[in-house]
Amino acid sequence: MNAYRLKPVRFPWPPFLYAVAIVAAFALGHLVRLPLPGRSVLILVGGLVLMAGMLLDLSALKTLITAKTTVMPHKAASHLITTGPYRITRNPIYVGYTLSTVGIGLILGNPWFVVAAIAAALVTDIVVVRREEMHLLARFGIKYESYCRQTRRWI
């Protein structure tokens, strides 16, 4: 049997990767200060970006729970989900994590969060998303291929 059919990864990497990115951004912000102009505008925009990320994440989780499939990235998917935010992106939870990390950085006036969010998204893509895609292809075949042709991986 195809190993990817059983489960995509052994460890739930995305939350861990984004947590490391946030800690790194805090540390870099203390070591190398990069001031951002327009503080009040950044707080407002950051709040909106953070809320958008959180709403996208919660909407994706609700969609998975409603469909009775796993929300954990290291568990096997029981259903191919193509509704809700999954109509827009194949990875709404990771997009939500990325937006939330950027939003926190804008609120705090710490541009390292933007760098950290991009780095976490890139590592997530390499370490997790590619394996998840192979898992979904092994489990759902042509239905997943069709979904991939219609829906972008990120945005």
Side-chain angles (χ1 to χ4, degrees):
M1 177 180 276
N2 183 332
Y4 292 112
R5 191 173 184 89
L6 299 175
K7 58 183 177 176
V9 292
R10 294 178 189 259
F11 181 78
W13 286 106
F16 175 76
L17 292 172
Y18 281 88
V20 168
I22 289 170
V23 169
F26 271 119
L28 285 167
H30 286 289
L31 293 173
V32 181
R33 294 203 186 271
L34 300 173
L36 293 174
R39 186 82 176 108
S40 58
V41 172
L42 287 177
I43 291 172
L44 176 64
V45 171
L48 293 173
V49 171
L50 176 60
M51 283 191 340
M54 291 173 67
L55 287 173
L56 180 60
D57 195 30
L58 291 173
S59 175
L61 290 172
K62 181 182 181 294
T63 302
L64 293 173
I65 291 167
T66 301
K68 295 185 170 111
T69 192
T70 186
V71 298
M72 298 302 293
H74 67 293
K75 302 280 185 173
S78 56
H79 304 292
L80 178 62
I81 308 303
T82 60
T83 59
Y86 290 89
R87 289 174 293 134
I88 302 163
T89 174
R90 296 193 314 252
N91 295 291
I93 293 173
Y94 306 151
V95 172
Y97 288 173
T98 304
L99 289 173
S100 296
T101 303
V102 169
I104 292 168
L106 293 173
I107 291 168
L108 297 175
N110 183 341
W112 290 110
F113 275 78
V114 176
V115 174
I118 293 167
L122 289 171
V123 173
T124 297
D125 189 67
I126 293 165
V127 173
V128 180
V129 171
R130 309 290 170 142
R131 291 182 58 100
E132 286 180 344
E133 289 177 345
M134 290 191 296
H135 165 72
L136 293 170
L137 182 61
R139 289 197 57 98
F140 304 110
I142 192 76
K143 288 168 59 176
Y144 183 68
E145 285 179 357
S146 177
Y147 172 62
C148 288
R149 283 193 294 276
Q150 297 170 4
T151 310
R152 293 176 179 259
R153 178 179 286 145
W154 289 92
I155 294 271

